[in-house]
Amino acid sequence: MTMMEGVVVAMGGCIGAIVRYFFSAKLNKEDGLPIGTLVVNVTGSLLLGVVFGLQLSLLWTLFLVSGLAGSLTTFSTLNKEFVLLWESGNRKAFVGYILSTYGLGLFSALIGYSVGVNV
């Protein structure tokens, strides 16, 4: 990795982390479905699809995918929320959240890729 590549990833990561914090703070409720996490993960999947569909340069891909989408999306928080929903006994919400996250994530990535390829 070059110095420029590292800087580009860090810049994207900074933006993505701030955006993720904003959505989590505004949309995640203590006793409900973690909508903020769902929104950022689906948005990150859409962004990933668009970027790969557009076949952007390496620096743009590093900025948008490794940096921005990498810090915007969150696998660790997602799994923590899965466990919390399970432990709360809310099995319907648990299953719905898993299906929504992975279903919408995959669908968003495919839509994004299709958009990127056809632009």
Side-chain angles (χ1 to χ4, degrees):
M1 175 188 318
T2 67
M3 176 72 103
M4 179 58 86
E5 290 168 348
V7 168
V8 166
V9 170
M11 288 172 29
C14 179
I15 295 167
I18 292 167
V19 171
R20 177 163 60 113
Y21 174 77
F22 172 80
F23 276 97
S24 293
K26 293 294 181 186
L27 299 177
N28 285 358
K29 303 297 179 218
E30 192 69 30
D31 60 347
L33 212 57
I35 300 297
T37 306
L38 180 62
V39 167
V40 297
N41 285 336
V42 170
T43 302
S45 295
L46 179 68
L47 176 63
L48 181 102
V50 169
V51 170
F52 284 112
L54 289 172
Q55 298 181 357
L56 298 177
S57 70
L58 176 62
L59 287 180
W60 275 110
T61 300
L62 289 173
F63 175 78
L64 293 170
V65 175
S66 298
L68 187 107
S71 66
L72 177 66
T73 60
T74 170
F75 192 69
S76 57
T77 299
L78 175 70
N79 285 305
K80 177 199 78 163
E81 292 164 349
F82 285 158
V83 169
L84 291 175
L85 283 171
W86 181 265
E87 287 178 345
S88 75
N90 195 344
R91 303 298 193 255
K92 253 186 180 175
F94 171 79
V95 171
Y97 188 45
I98 287 175
L99 294 176
S100 297
T101 297
Y102 290 110
L104 290 172
L106 180 58
F107 182 71
S108 295
L110 292 171
I111 293 296
Y113 183 79
S114 178
V115 167
V117 166
N118 292 303
V119 169

